[in-house]
């Protein structure tokens, strides 16, 4: 039996480009247990903050109140500026070779697809979570994964030990194996 949530339905206004996704869809998030970065706890904090300021059922999840108590909504520019500020503080141009001008809100979609791929999620799961109708997300994954391969070739060329366990005795057979023909 499916359990219905007692939480009121809320939506986030998307005033920016949704060319590859769907508007007004529900994305399920599950609790991580972490007090700071759990998406469910974050949503609860946002919801409770909104309810301390208004009981308007049409108030969007992107709502906030400035220092003067004036109601505002988070917009694309706010998120974009925050990402650029964080990338600058983390020295992305110096440490990662990523120009600040190339970082924007779409970096979150590309980074999310990449992170899910690295975590082992299937293409179908990534596509649904990112609300992609087509295979566009694969371009982000293939392009971004090149950044994670730094040092892999060198690591793969290291000699490691081969062992043979015969009669319950561990024997190092590296020299024999490395120096033998493949025939």
């Amino acid at each position: 039996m499916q359990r219905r949530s007692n939480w009121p339905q809320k939506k986030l206004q998307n005033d920016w480009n949704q060319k590859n996704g769907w508007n007004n869809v529900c994305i399920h998030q599950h609790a991580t247990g972490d007090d700071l970065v759990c998406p469910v706890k974050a949503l609860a904090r946002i919801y409770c903050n909104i309810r301390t300021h208004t009981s308007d059922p049409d108030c969007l999840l992107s709502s906030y109140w400035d220092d003067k108590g004036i109601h505002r909504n988070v917009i694309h520019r706010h998120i974009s500026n925050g990402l650029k500020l964080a990338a600058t503080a983390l020295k992305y141009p110096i440490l990662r070779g990523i120009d600040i001008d190339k970082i924007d809100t779409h970096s979150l979609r590309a980074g999310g697809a990449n992170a899910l791929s690295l975590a082992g999620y299937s293409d179908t799961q990534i596509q649904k979570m990112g609300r992609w109708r087509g295979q566009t997300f694969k371009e982000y994954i293939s392009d971004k994964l090149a950044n994670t391969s730094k040092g892999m070739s060198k690591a793969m060329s290291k000699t490691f030990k081969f062992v043979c366990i015969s009669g319950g005795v561990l024997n190092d057979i590296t020299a024999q194996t490395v120096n033998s023909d493949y025939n």
Side-chain angles (χ1 to χ4, degrees):
M1 183 157 109
Q2 189 175 17
R3 211 173 91 174
R4 285 188 50 138
S5 172
N6 291 331
W7 283 52
Q9 296 275 329
K10 296 295 292 176
K11 67 180 181 177
L12 180 63
Q13 180 181 10
N14 289 333
D15 61 351
W16 56 90
N17 189 350
Q18 280 287 319
K19 67 180 180 181
N20 291 324
W22 295 284
N23 281 319
N24 299 317
V25 297
C26 182
I27 297 175
H28 295 275
Q29 293 288 341
H30 298 274
T32 64
D34 187 291
D35 285 337
L36 184 61
V37 296
C38 175
V40 175
K41 288 182 180 183
L43 180 60
R45 286 191 300 270
I46 291 167
Y47 184 80
C48 289
N49 183 52
I50 290 170
R51 288 295 160 243
T52 62
H53 290 84
T54 183
S55 59
D56 179 1
D58 294 324
C59 186
L60 300 172
L61 285 173
S62 57
S63 296
Y64 71 96
W65 285 259
D66 67 16
D67 294 337
K68 296 177 183 175
I70 298 172
H71 176 250
R72 304 203 185 274
N73 283 296
V74 174
I75 59 173
H76 174 269
R77 187 183 78 247
H78 297 145
I79 297 169
S80 178
N81 290 345
L83 287 171
K84 290 175 189 295
L85 183 66
T88 300
L90 293 169
K91 301 179 182 177
Y92 267 45
I94 298 165
L95 300 176
R96 300 187 184 250
I98 300 172
D99 186 10
I100 296 298
D101 292 336
K102 294 188 182 216
I103 296 173
D104 209 334
T105 54
H106 212 70
S107 303
L108 296 172
R109 287 178 59 77
N114 195 28
L116 289 170
S117 178
L118 289 171
Y121 287 91
S122 72
D123 287 352
T124 301
Q125 289 171 308
I126 296 168
Q127 187 176 14
K128 287 185 181 218
M129 186 64 170
R131 295 173 293 137
W132 276 285
R133 291 184 182 193
Q135 302 295 311
T136 308
F137 70 95
K138 289 184 177 181
E139 292 178 28
Y140 299 126
I141 294 169
S142 62
D143 289 344
K144 304 299 182 226
L145 287 182
N147 294 333
T148 65
S149 64
K150 183 178 181 180
M152 283 184 177
S153 295
K154 185 176 180 180
M156 290 184 334
S157 66
K158 288 183 180 177
T159 304
F160 55 93
K161 295 187 177 212
F162 290 92
V163 295
C164 176
I165 303 174
S166 178
V169 178
L170 178 69
N171 295 307
D172 183 350
I173 59 169
T174 304
Q176 296 163 281
T177 307
V178 171
N179 297 325
S180 66
D181 291 332
Y182 289 105
N183 297 335

